[in-house]
Amino acid sequence: MEAEYRSSLDTNFYKLQGVDELLSDLKAAGVHLLVGTNGVKETQLRRLKGSGLEHYFEDYFISEDIGFAKPDKRFFEPMFKKYGNLTTNAVMVGDRLQADVLGAKRAQLNSIWYNPQALPVVQSYQPTYVANSFKQIKKIILNA
């Protein structure tokens, strides 16, 4: 059953409308795009490939390889080691406050919480930015 479940997870993905345009525009503007995700490496790579988004990203950082998951700040150490001081020129974009935003805060990175439902932030920690659409994410990144 575990193998069947894992296989189902590997192909369980969907692509939000507008994400191709966002990633294409950011890449065309010279933004370096990295993936930082929790999960099983094989599953995450298959999801990226299946969604057709893998070609936008320069590098992948997956918790299974790193040994720590977001929000642990140690998750970000391989990124800092490979790409230098990201705190001055990087932003973590994510849809999970507990993993993405808190992880970025612990690693001293700016964050954009992708929040299309316009939910309130009730946690004691706050994202640097909140974006309710991909257009807002693009504006924040390119105008910041």
Side-chain angles (χ1 to χ4, degrees):
M1 284 181 63
E2 171 64 23
E4 190 174 320
Y5 173 73
R6 182 67 45 206
S7 176
S8 177
L9 277 180
D10 289 356
T11 58
N12 182 17
F13 59 86
Y14 57 93
K15 187 166 43 172
L16 297 174
Q17 186 174 358
V19 73
D20 278 298
E21 180 182 351
L22 170 66
L23 295 174
S24 178
D25 289 350
L26 292 176
K27 193 166 179 95
V31 175
H32 299 277
L33 301 171
L34 310 174
V35 171
T37 187
N38 290 340
V40 176
K41 181 177 184 174
E42 183 178 340
T43 298
Q44 299 303 63
L45 292 176
R46 283 188 184 178
R47 286 176 169 179
L48 276 166
K49 183 174 178 138
S51 68
L53 299 175
E54 80 279 2
H55 67 279
Y56 292 113
F57 298 98
E58 294 177 29
D59 210 343
Y60 307 96
F61 296 87
I62 302 171
S63 62
E64 182 182 49
D65 286 339
I66 296 168
F68 300 98
K70 296 174 291 177
D72 192 314
K73 72 178 185 177
R74 294 173 291 182
F75 172 87
F76 296 90
E77 288 175 359
M79 292 179 205
F80 285 103
K81 185 175 181 180
K82 188 167 182 178
Y83 291 96
N85 188 5
L86 296 176
T87 58
T88 60
N89 63 359
V91 62
M92 176 72 184
V93 180
D95 63 347
R96 306 260 185 231
L97 282 169
Q98 177 64 30
D100 304 316
V101 172
L102 182 57
K105 182 174 181 62
R106 288 178 174 170
Q108 299 180 335
L109 289 170
N110 288 326
S111 63
I112 299 173
W113 180 33
Y114 176 60
N115 179 17
Q117 295 85 20
L119 300 171
V121 179
V122 295
Q123 285 74 5
S124 59
Y125 51 89
Q126 301 286 314
T128 312
Y129 307 97
V130 177
N132 304 116
S133 69
F134 291 138
K135 287 182 181 182
Q136 287 179 330
I137 292 174
K138 179 180 169 182
K139 183 176 180 181
I140 291 166
I141 292 174
L142 296 182
N143 294 330

